[in-house]
Amino acid sequence: MLRVEVGLAIAGAGVALFVLYAVVHRRLAAHARHVHAGPATSELRTEPPAVVNLLVNELTLTPDAVAATVLDLAAGGYVEIVEVGPQTSMLRVRHPRGGATGADAGAGGAEAALPDHQRQLLELARGAAADGDMTVAELTAALGPGSVETWGRFSQSVRANAVELGLVRRAGAGKGVTGPCVAMATAVSIGLLVIVPPLWLLVGVVWPIAVVAGIVVLVWGYGQLPTAEGRAAAAHWLGVRRFLAEQDNLHDLPPAAVAVWDRYLAYGAAMGESPAAVHGLGGDVRTRMSLSDWNRLSRLARDPQARAAQMRTAGEAQLSRLYGGAGAGALGPDDGDFWTLVERTARGWSPAMMALAYDAPGWAAAVDRRLAALQAAAPADLAAAIAELAPTVKHLTETVTRDGVAGLEGATAGVDLTGEPLAEPVRRLLVAAGQHFGCPPDPESLARRLGVADPYRG
């Protein structure tokens, strides 16, 4: 009996001290997020409205960020909001133009420079717009207010953009997190050993579970903290909110007023000062997972056919947004000049990789067709580079056709784009692409220019 009491005392003391530490740790983290407002000002900084929403709400993103982003796209000319009646608006979406030159090419470059979360909503809006026009109800349906997936992608992109801008840092799991968790897990494990020594093998299971549980308790909801620059930006934007709060009519302006108020209306929506504009753009997206979401994820995890069907649906939706219909093929139409084909290949790579999951032979055939089209359309100075890379691509597609997705890892294991003999043709292609698209000749810059989040995704 004494052994049980001693074991419980050790484990209980460890847990009690950890709980005390967790309370203090989370309060300090909350204090680090709190920023005092600066003086009222009308000066706008360059942060996107969704990032501003994150900063002024102590790193808690609210659904207002979605409407604020749509309003910012309207202020930038990517979407036009037209008031057709009391509390009724239509939206007109500008579609990209292939092979544009001059001013249109500049506009396309500006769109490629948009943050990922803004491009996500712009693509959703384009997919919902019939002949370029749509109602607010159609926009709301496209945003998927009944699904948490849209919010998850949007939220993740906004937070990544804040980190990229140097405004937010990820809270490190250093001594302030791992140390107390290890101490608590050790105390619990020792208490277990004292109570039931024969079950010493359980320590190997209990200890890591307790460590992970402790880290989750300390970090959950506080995985990010503002940097010094982020705190300064938040103070400035809270000063802008003071200024906007003094504008009497901003509170009741409809979405179409963005034509007059420009980005002020978008930032007002982001900071809770333009509720009428937010309401005029439809219902909120759902920000929490429901029981049906968890059931669906569980089914997808268990059923390969359900995963393939999900991939097919998502891929066809992306194809529809990119090319106006899924019939164009995973990489888009195979006609056009060389650089049009390059751009289509980059933009279509994500749905193409989805197609690989449910139709490996079809994916391989699409890649073969695109390779043939690129070889036929290649400029004279790049034809040799394409020819040098072609055998590697052909080997990949032949392996996938024969072995399916399972053969992909083996086919790519020995491929090194930075080593011989592929490094030189890859370099020539990157240099030529950089000159054509007006950006540095590296994969990351080209990906951003072409609107691809990750050049190696999939």
Side-chain angles (χ1 to χ4, degrees):
M1 189 65 183
L2 178 62
R3 188 174 64 227
V4 173
E5 292 175 351
V6 171
L8 289 175
I10 294 173
V15 172
L17 289 174
F18 175 79
V19 170
L20 179 62
Y21 180 86
V23 171
V24 174
H25 181 274
R26 291 178 70 86
R27 286 192 175 183
L28 289 175
H31 178 73
R33 290 183 171 198
H34 181 72
V35 178
H36 294 288
T41 176
S42 62
E43 181 182 354
L44 302 181
R45 289 170 51 115
T46 58
E47 290 85 17
V51 172
V52 172
N53 176 274
L54 184 71
L55 293 175
V56 302
N57 289 296
E58 300 183 5
L59 302 192
T60 299
L61 196 68
T62 74
D64 287 354
V66 176
T69 298
V70 175
L71 289 168
D72 198 42
L73 290 171
Y78 302 100
V79 177
E80 181 184 1
I81 302 177
V82 181
E83 190 172 7
V84 295
Q87 300 181 338
T88 304
S89 299
M90 290 285 295
L91 293 92
R92 182 167 296 123
V93 185
R94 188 185 73 187
H95 284 261
R97 306 174 194 176
T101 59
D104 288 341
E111 181 176 324
L114 289 174
D116 286 346
H117 65 274
Q118 293 199 350
R119 285 203 304 272
Q120 286 175 11
L121 295 193
L122 185 58
E123 289 179 3
L124 284 171
R126 282 180 176 148
D131 299 324
D133 294 334
M134 63 179 164
T135 63
V136 168
E138 289 170 334
L139 173 64
T140 301
L143 292 176
S147 171
V148 76
E149 293 177 6
T150 298
W151 176 257
R153 291 192 299 269
F154 179 80
S155 176
Q156 183 179 18
S157 295
V158 172
R159 293 181 182 278
N161 187 216
V163 171
E164 182 181 356
L165 293 173
L167 305 173
V168 172
R169 64 178 175 86
R170 293 180 174 88
K175 293 182 179 179
V177 173
T178 55
C181 295
V182 168
M184 179 269 294
T186 302
V188 171
S189 300
I190 292 173
L192 177 64
L193 278 176
V194 171
I195 296 171
V196 280
L199 297 181
W200 61 271
L201 286 174
L202 285 178
V203 172
V205 177
V206 172
W207 191 88
I209 291 177
V211 170
V212 172
I215 292 175
V216 170
V217 168
L218 293 180
V219 176
W220 186 266
Y222 292 95
Q224 292 183 317
L225 294 173
T227 62
E229 174 61 23
R231 292 179 64 83
H236 176 88
W237 283 112
L238 288 169
V240 174
R241 184 163 72 179
R242 282 183 172 179
F243 166 78
L244 295 177
E246 296 169 358
Q247 313 307 307
D248 294 335
N249 61 338
L250 187 67
H251 195 85
D252 301 317
L253 290 176
V258 71
V260 176
W261 282 80
D262 200 56
R263 301 190 82 189
Y264 282 101
L265 190 64
Y267 286 115
M271 295 186 285
E273 297 298 330
S274 304
V278 172
H279 180 73
L281 288 175
D284 294 338
V285 295
R286 185 154 53 82
T287 62
R288 294 289 184 271
M289 294 189 72
S290 66
L291 182 60
S292 62
D293 290 321
W294 287 112
N295 288 338
R296 183 174 56 82
L297 290 176
S298 175
R299 186 173 65 255
L300 291 176
R302 297 191 311 267
D303 187 351
Q305 292 184 343
R307 289 198 301 274
Q310 175 79 1
M311 285 287 191
R312 184 186 297 274
T313 300
E316 289 179 352
Q318 286 201 36
L319 291 174
S320 179
R321 290 195 295 270
L322 287 170
Y323 311 119
L331 294 172
D334 292 316
D335 58 347
D337 62 32
F338 179 79
W339 294 113
T340 297
L341 290 170
V342 169
E343 188 165 2
R344 286 178 187 160
T345 303
R347 291 184 178 276
W349 194 249
S350 177
M353 294 307 293
M354 290 182 181
L356 176 60
Y358 60 81
D359 184 11
W363 176 88
V367 173
D368 280 338
R369 289 195 305 271
R370 180 51 47 85
L371 176 62
L374 287 167
Q375 288 181 297
D381 58 332
L382 295 178
I386 298 295
E388 291 175 55
L389 294 171
T392 300
V393 178
K394 290 293 293 182
H395 172 67
L396 174 64
T397 57
E398 288 170 359
T399 303
V400 170
T401 301
R402 183 183 66 249
D403 301 330
V405 178
L408 183 63
E409 183 176 354
T412 57
V415 177
D416 181 9
L417 297 180
T418 62
E420 297 299 333
L422 302 180
E424 180 56 25
V426 168
R427 186 195 67 79
R428 296 203 301 271
L429 284 172
L430 287 175
V431 169
Q435 292 174 347
H436 179 82
F437 292 111
C439 64
D442 60 82
E444 291 78 13
S445 298
L446 285 167
R448 286 193 296 270
R449 169 63 181 85
L450 297 174
V452 182
D454 181 353
Y456 301 115
R457 180 173 55 192

